[in-house]
Amino acid sequence: AQRVTQPEKLLSVFKGAPVELKCNYSYSGSPELFWYVQYSRQRLQLLLRHISRESIKGFTADLNKGETSFHLKKPFAQEEDSAMYYCALKAGANNLFFGTGTRLTVIP
Amino acid sequence: DTGVSQDPRHKITKRGQNVTFRCDPISEHNRLYWYRQTLGQGPEFLTYFQNEAQLEKSRLLSDRFSAERPKGSFSTLEIQRTEQGDSAMYLCASSLSGTGSGATQYFGPGTRLTVL
């Protein structure tokens, strides 16, 4: 069965500090991983996907199949990064399995 | 078309009543998904459509739940004989079919259901 684990419900960092949001997954097939973000009073939106290997808003995430992880990283956190972050796994053709989310607070 | 829309945004109902929610996807998107999100949890998949065909349903979708997409455009999700455990945010998403960035799921604002 597929599972996505985000071990931290809350994470606080100071502005300018590095940030890492952890995500581990369990899936027997070839995974497709995503990070979604939800800013205050906004809808859920895609931040990045592992197959794109891109950096969005300074965030990157590398799929590590050996450790079954897809941690989200940013070297210098900004106040506008404060939001709820969800890691998601696309298992099979279509539906997404989400983790429970991590609320990131960047302290000025 | 500015994105996925959902109506109503909030619904308060009494236990045992029926409720219906509507989702309007991005116009060119042929796939439509329903998710449910309870407090402290991530969204959980309920069901998805490709055009008008309902192709997959989660075990979470009990027989009190029914979803339709009659013309392959908007979709409705109906909950019959609501229970307090049905209280949640109901999210709709849409995407194009296929793989890659074109199949990105775009989410609506959600309908928050409260069952008293």
Side-chain angles (χ1 to χ4, degrees):
Chain A
Q2 49 278 334
R3 176 178 287 182
V4 176
T5 303
Q6 293 181 253
E8 303 141 327
K9 280 199 171 296
L10 303 171
L11 182 64
S12 295
V13 300
F14 285 100
K15 177 182 174 182
V19 60
E20 181 180 48
L21 289 86
K22 292 185 168 53
C23 172
N24 288 89
Y25 68 91
S26 174
Y27 182 54
S28 57
S30 183
E32 190 173 347
L33 276 296
F34 305 79
W35 277 98
Y36 276 79
V37 60
Q38 188 166 26
Y39 300 103
S40 179
R41 298 189 179 84
Q42 295 187 26
R43 64 187 64 190
L44 200 59
Q45 58 185 283
L46 178 68
L47 180 62
L48 55 79
R49 54 198 301 161
H50 90 268
I51 60 173
S52 300
R53 301 188 64 80
E54 58 195 343
S55 173
I56 303 293
K57 299 184 179 183
F59 284 98
T60 59
D62 290 319
L63 178 62
N64 185 324
K65 291 187 178 180
E67 295 183 358
T68 60
S69 68
F70 188 56
H71 303 326
L72 183 67
K73 300 177 183 179
K74 184 170 182 176
F76 307 104
Q78 303 298 313
E79 289 179 65
E80 55 266 28
D81 296 329
S82 294
M84 194 75 180
Y85 291 80
Y86 294 96
C87 182
L89 165 70
K90 190 174 182 182
N94 303 292
N95 49 300
L96 295 173
F97 289 88
F98 286 84
T100 51
T102 298
R103 181 170 298 282
L104 174 66
T105 301
V106 180
I107 305 165
Chain B
D1 190 345
T2 56
V4 179
S5 61
Q6 293 186 244
D7 184 70
R9 296 291 305 276
H10 303 274
K11 178 70 177 178
I12 300 174
T13 191
K14 292 183 178 179
R15 188 177 54 185
Q17 299 294 306
N18 299 343
V19 294
T20 299
F21 310 140
R22 176 180 171 125
C23 171
D24 286 88
I26 294 172
S27 57
E28 64 267 27
H29 285 181
N30 57 347
R31 288 186 177 170
L32 187 148
Y33 312 78
W34 285 99
Y35 291 84
R36 181 176 68 185
Q37 185 174 22
T38 53
L39 198 62
Q41 301 297 315
E44 296 172 293
F45 170 77
L46 293 178
T47 188
Y48 111 91
F49 292 83
Q50 177 142 326
N51 301 311
E52 65 275 10
Q54 188 174 17
L55 296 186
E56 193 170 344
K57 292 196 288 187
S58 162
R59 290 173 298 172
L60 292 174
L61 210 67
S62 77
D63 55 6
R64 296 186 297 106
F65 287 68
S66 62
E68 295 182 341
R69 194 182 183 198
K71 297 182 180 179
S73 56
F74 72 91
S75 175
T76 57
L77 177 68
E78 181 183 15
I79 308 174
Q80 296 182 326
R81 306 181 302 281
T82 53
E83 301 173 356
Q84 288 183 326
D86 297 332
S87 296
M89 177 75 86
Y90 289 84
L91 296 169
C92 177
S94 70
S95 76
L96 295 170
S97 55
T99 58
S101 59
T104 296
Q105 293 187 27
Y106 293 86
F107 282 81
T111 294
R112 182 170 295 284
L113 172 66
T114 302
V115 181
L116 302 177

